[in-house]
Amino acid sequence: MESDVNGVRKMEKKELVQMLALEDFEPVYRRADAVRRENTGDIVHIRAIIEFSNICRRQCLYCGLNSTNEKAVRYRMSVKEILDTARQAVDAGYRTIVLQSGEDPHFHKETLGEIVTAIKEMGAAVTLSCGELTFEELRYLKNCGADRYLLKHETADPELYDRLHPCGTLKERVECLKNINRLGYETGSGFMIGLPGQTLETIASDLLLLKELNCKMAGIGPFIPHPDTPLAGEKAGDTELTKRAVALARLLLPKANLPVTTSLGVVNREEKDNAFACGANVIMKKVTPDPYKQAYEIYPAKLEKTDVIGDRKKLEEQIRQLGRIPL
Ligand code: 5AD
């Protein structure tokens, strides 16, 4: 194994597979932690996420919000509700608002643009995560001031992608990510660990795709089966493998913002803390008002009632206890 970061940056698929399968991964975790510290410092960025609509036109087999799930209780927040929530989050100290939704055609670029402009006026950075948009829509929203865009590629294996996504192709998704990058957004992608049919080779390709896409952010989380989806009977993704993928993402993308995903904490609360020692430097906190938060059920999770100020204080305290600096 190469000992310098530059050597690791040139890692190829075969090496990545070998590393993912290592008996003792501790030295890699230590290296990822050191690379994180050197490149991004001890700050943990806390982002506020507003899940403003769970209406989705897609049918992704793993997702509780897929349009064929008739048990999902659907909602759409009004522009006023979204902006009131963003205001509360900014007042509580959040510097970035992440606007996430299903692929909901109701939110035209003009409506989204109005929301982006208003949040930018509050002094916060805006990250959009609303699925695949056209070049023109993305361009419009960039001009409204949107800073970043999150669109996970989900899996870099085109056949597995096809099996899991009755709508869309990996090629279209990658094209959209390239448009995002071209337009000057900070580009965020990511993928799931433990998708049925995924192998270590797939995960290695996932990691290499992050680099190819010039990602500045990457969310890597375990798959969690949702009971009202076709993948209900499958196993949840492995948390150790998830952390390994995060650590390798840190080595490949030393300066990237790597969140500890919510799903990791859902599978195992402790692993969420541990992931901060494996290369992660970001966490997202839901500020979505009740009962919408509970209805945004991508995967099953027990969610506490939203308390925008109190939740943030608690999280800041937890981050300080890990010896890190919340921001
Ligand atoms: N388990 C874990 N993560 C999921 N996502 C969607 N469904 C699941 C699931 N069942 C992730 C996808 C998507 C993000 C919003 O949530 O990666 O991009």
Side-chain angles (χ1 to χ4, degrees), residues 151-316:
L151 181 77
K152 297 193 187 183
H153 68 259
E154 313 295 3
T155 176
D157 174 343
E159 280 166 28
L160 180 56
Y161 191 99
D162 283 347
R163 285 205 295 280
L164 296 172
H165 303 98
C167 313
T169 64
L170 179 60
K171 197 162 171 267
E172 284 165 7
R173 199 139 183 107
V174 166
E175 196 47 48
C176 185
L177 280 157
K178 286 183 178 160
N179 286 339
I180 288 165
N181 200 40
R182 236 174 249 145
L183 284 161
Y185 285 94
E186 272 183 48
T187 306
S189 187
F191 55 91
M192 280 172 278
I193 298 288
L195 289 169
Q198 183 186 60
T199 62
L200 294 187
E201 281 74 16
T202 323
I203 298 174
S205 303
D206 282 323
L207 287 163
L208 291 172
L209 184 55
L210 296 179
K211 191 151 176 75
E212 193 187 317
L213 292 168
N214 188 29
C215 286
K216 302 287 186 288
M217 308 174 281
I220 302 167
F223 156 71
I224 303 173
H226 188 295
D228 306 318
T229 63
L231 301 186
E234 302 290 341
K235 271 202 336 251
D238 183 71
T239 55
E240 170 64 23
L241 191 53
T242 304
K243 286 189 303 169
R244 290 182 177 206
V246 172
L248 291 172
R250 172 58 68 201
L251 298 182
L252 285 162
L253 307 164
K255 293 190 188 306
N257 280 325
L258 301 180
V260 168
T261 53
T262 315
S263 53
L264 183 60
V266 168
V267 176
N268 185 329
R269 175 64 244 287
E270 252 170 57
E271 289 288 53
K272 195 166 133 185
D273 286 354
N274 298 341
F276 283 113
C278 303
N281 69 324
V282 176
I283 188 155
M284 291 194 199
K285 190 73 199 170
K286 292 171 190 267
V287 295
T288 312
D290 306 307
Y292 303 136
K293 183 166 86 170
Q294 289 71 19
Y296 197 83
E297 199 186 65
I298 292 177
Y299 45 77
K302 277 206 189 67
L303 300 174
E304 307 270 314
K305 280 218 151 41
T306 302
D307 167 7
V308 176
I309 297 172
D311 291 347
R312 184 174 162 107
K313 285 217 174 95
K314 243 189 260 167
L315 188 53
E316 285 181 358

Side-chain angles (χ1 to χ4, degrees), residues 104-124:
D104 181 356
H106 171 85
F107 283 92
H108 300 134
K109 66 178 191 303
E110 290 79 9
T111 315
L112 282 173
E114 183 191 331
I115 297 166
V116 170
T117 307
I119 297 178
K120 289 295 288 185
E121 276 168 15
M122 297 177 195

